[in-house]
Amino acid sequence: MSTEAFKTITYKPNTTLFREGEQADFAYIIREGSVKVSKRGPSGADIPIALVKKGGIVGEMAIVSEAPRSATVTAQEETIVLAISKTSFENKLQSIDPFLYSLIKTVIARLRQTSDHTVNLYEKIKKMQGKSIQSAPPKSDLTQQKFANVNFIFADPNPQTRNSLRGGLFGLGFKEICDVSTLFQLREQIKKNRYDLLILDAAFGGREVAGFIHDIRHGIDCKNPFLSIIVLTQNKSPQNRDTLLHAGCDHVLLKPISIEKISNAIKALCHYGRKFIVTHDYVGPDRINYQNPNGESAPVFDVPKSLTQKFTFHNNTLQAVSTLT
């Protein structure tokens, strides 16, 4: 490629701008279109880690760090970029305050590390995904309640609340119910048993609960990192809700809680298809129009849906019976 400072280039769909491991000569600002960023995982598989759209920049990390390209970038559609030469890019960086220049180099180095971590984490989660969670075997009693096969655990420090909710859930048809009063007990149960659904009260502490959910989603001491998680809280602040959602739970329900409200949340989880996303700091259910602060979209993939499988099995069984009677 020419070494002139700036150059406008048009790439056709599926054309590679640069490959992982190559030496860096240009950074690219996306003026039109979009590009896919991918890395090789430990297994050698090509793993997409971001989709960069108009206004985004790619290729800058290798220039600043003076290391080979850390990822492969490919045009997803006809894409127009402004290519900035390495010399011009470095000159602009060196013209700023020395402290800021040093800070940028440090941040870039850390970003390279987190992108490697993201790929390793993605492959770990995909491997877990491959160990599909099977539905419970059919029972001869076709009059069973639709939630009877769901393996459910509930954690709340208040014994009155646990007893009240347990009774209401039995009324909905849940049979396999485990309730615990501490996060330690919950962690031990999650480690030993494969649960389909967790309802967790944030009364244990917002930060502690968020950290616990984060560990579940990352497969730390957990049989099923894809179980459905509902958090109950009386803290109405948007920051609290965002913290819990970013930890990886499916729903946040505000207190006071009714059995009807919980039932509706569980049924919603049973009926919609769950997809997960993986970033350097988040593993969990996909959020509508998820967007990283830097404008990059996160890769999305399907996960085992044990709660949905068990709920669907019951409904399909009843439908089959009704057609025979």
PDB file of all heavy atoms in Angstrom, residues 50 91 93 103 202 269 304:
ATOM      1  N   ALA A  50     -16.117  -8.261  17.339  1.00  0.00           N
ATOM      2  CA  ALA A  50     -16.738  -6.940  17.252  1.00  0.00           C
ATOM      3  C   ALA A  50     -17.178  -6.648  15.821  1.00  0.00           C
ATOM      4  O   ALA A  50     -16.654  -7.226  14.861  1.00  0.00           O
ATOM      5  CB  ALA A  50     -15.782  -5.853  17.726  1.00  0.00           C
ATOM      6  N   ASN A  91       2.997  10.698  14.610  1.00  0.00           N
ATOM      7  CA  ASN A  91       3.309  12.124  14.764  1.00  0.00           C
ATOM      8  C   ASN A  91       2.202  12.858  15.512  1.00  0.00           C
ATOM      9  O   ASN A  91       2.464  13.727  16.361  1.00  0.00           O
ATOM     10  CB  ASN A  91       3.538  12.765  13.394  1.00  0.00           C
ATOM     11  CG  ASN A  91       4.839  12.316  12.770  1.00  0.00           C
ATOM     12  OD1 ASN A  91       5.745  11.837  13.462  1.00  0.00           O
ATOM     13  ND2 ASN A  91       4.949  12.463  11.455  1.00  0.00           N
ATOM     14  N   LEU A  93       0.105  11.526  17.654  1.00  0.00           N
ATOM     15  CA  LEU A  93       0.114  11.100  19.052  1.00  0.00           C
ATOM     16  C   LEU A  93       1.237  11.786  19.828  1.00  0.00           C
ATOM     17  O   LEU A  93       1.044  12.239  20.959  1.00  0.00           O
ATOM     18  CB  LEU A  93       0.294   9.581  19.136  1.00  0.00           C
ATOM     19  CG  LEU A  93      -0.943   8.718  18.842  1.00  0.00           C
ATOM     20  CD1 LEU A  93      -0.571   7.243  18.930  1.00  0.00           C
ATOM     21  CD2 LEU A  93      -2.058   9.019  19.831  1.00  0.00           C
ATOM     22  N   LEU A 103      -0.295   7.500  28.696  1.00  0.00           N
ATOM     23  CA  LEU A 103      -1.555   6.906  29.138  1.00  0.00           C
ATOM     24  C   LEU A 103      -2.225   6.132  28.005  1.00  0.00           C
ATOM     25  O   LEU A 103      -2.724   5.012  28.199  1.00  0.00           O
ATOM     26  CB  LEU A 103      -2.494   7.996  29.662  1.00  0.00           C
ATOM     27  CG  LEU A 103      -3.870   7.538  30.154  1.00  0.00           C
ATOM     28  CD1 LEU A 103      -3.717   6.596  31.342  1.00  0.00           C
ATOM     29  CD2 LEU A 103      -4.721   8.747  30.534  1.00  0.00           C
ATOM     30  N   ALA A 202     -31.740  -9.223  46.240  1.00  0.00           N
ATOM     31  CA  ALA A 202     -30.590  -8.333  46.334  1.00  0.00           C
ATOM     32  C   ALA A 202     -30.357  -7.832  47.753  1.00  0.00           C
ATOM     33  O   ALA A 202     -29.437  -7.045  47.986  1.00  0.00           O
ATOM     34  CB  ALA A 202     -30.769  -7.139  45.395  1.00  0.00           C
ATOM     35  N   LEU A 269     -39.674 -15.745  30.428  1.00  0.00           N
ATOM     36  CA  LEU A 269     -38.404 -16.417  30.180  1.00  0.00           C
ATOM     37  C   LEU A 269     -38.606 -17.729  29.431  1.00  0.00           C
ATOM     38  O   LEU A 269     -37.760 -18.133  28.626  1.00  0.00           O
ATOM     39  CB  LEU A 269     -37.692 -16.690  31.507  1.00  0.00           C
ATOM     40  CG  LEU A 269     -37.068 -15.486  32.211  1.00  0.00           C
ATOM     41  CD1 LEU A 269     -36.544 -15.883  33.583  1.00  0.00           C
ATOM     42  CD2 LEU A 269     -35.950 -14.892  31.370  1.00  0.00           C
ATOM     43  N   PRO A 304     -28.019 -23.293  25.597  1.00  0.00           N
ATOM     44  CA  PRO A 304     -29.047 -24.255  26.029  1.00  0.00           C
ATOM     45  C   PRO A 304     -30.116 -23.567  26.862  1.00  0.00           C
ATOM     46  O   PRO A 304     -29.812 -22.685  27.666  1.00  0.00           O
ATOM     47  CB  PRO A 304     -28.241 -25.255  26.867  1.00  0.00           C
ATOM     48  CG  PRO A 304     -26.832 -25.129  26.382  1.00  0.00           C
ATOM     49  CD  PRO A 304     -26.659 -23.694  25.999  1.00  0.00           C
TER      50      PRO A 304
END
